[in-house]
């Protein structure tokens, strides 16, 4: 259908934006090369910290990210798959994730 390639390209571009912005946050490790629309991140090289950030993001409600296991380690899975997602949405989500990560005790 018309426009599908553009939507896929945009979602992939936004996933790369997530990767670049989160990768610049201290204590955040991007685990995968972003070739499609998914980003896997880990916090402070710790399963416990990663799960705590995921729980915090889900409770916060700014965005929805899920947990997964990547090569035996806990990770946050970020999937960009909605045609309505904007750069501002990515920036707002990154800010929320970084704040939750920073504010965890």
């Amino acid at each position: 259908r018309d426009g599908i390639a553009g939507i896929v390209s945009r979602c992939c571009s936004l996933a790369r934006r997530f990767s670049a912005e989160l990768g610049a946050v201290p204590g955040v490790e991007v685990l995968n090369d972003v070739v499609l629309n998914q980003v896997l991140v880990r916090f402070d090289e710790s399963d416990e910290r990663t799960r705590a950030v995921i729980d915090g993001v889900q409770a916060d409600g700014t965005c929805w990210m899920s947990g997964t296991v990547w090569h035996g380690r806990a990770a946050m899975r970020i999937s960009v798959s909605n045609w309505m997602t904007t750069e501002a949405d990515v920036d707002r989500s990154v800010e929320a994730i970084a704040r939750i990560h920073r504010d965890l005790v």
Side-chain angles (χ1 to χ4, degrees):
R1 294 187 176 224
D2 289 341
I4 297 297
I7 292 170
V8 171
S9 176
R10 196 162 145 271
C11 287
C12 294
S13 175
L14 291 170
R16 288 188 298 274
R17 183 181 185 99
F18 258 117
S19 176
E21 290 189 19
L22 283 172
V25 174
V28 178
E29 175 188 9
V30 177
L31 300 175
N32 66 316
D33 292 329
V34 179
V35 294
L36 290 173
N37 68 327
Q38 294 199 12
V39 184
L40 299 173
V41 296
R42 187 169 166 80
F43 300 87
D44 293 336
E45 300 181 13
S46 162
D47 287 351
E48 294 76 22
R49 179 70 171 207
T50 298
R51 289 186 191 107
V53 173
I54 293 165
D55 290 345
V57 167
Q58 291 174 348
D60 179 73
T62 300
C63 54
W64 176 261
M65 307 300 171
S66 65
T68 191
V69 176
W70 177 257
H71 297 286
R73 300 183 297 169
M76 174 186 282
R77 179 187 306 273
I78 301 167
S79 298
V80 182
S81 57
N82 189 307
W83 66 272
M84 292 182 64
T85 302
T86 65
E87 289 181 354
D89 294 326
V90 171
D91 295 344
R92 193 170 32 259
S93 297
V94 167
E95 288 171 12
I97 293 166
R99 174 182 39 81
I100 291 161
H101 170 53
R102 180 188 66 241
D103 292 349
L104 277 174
V105 178

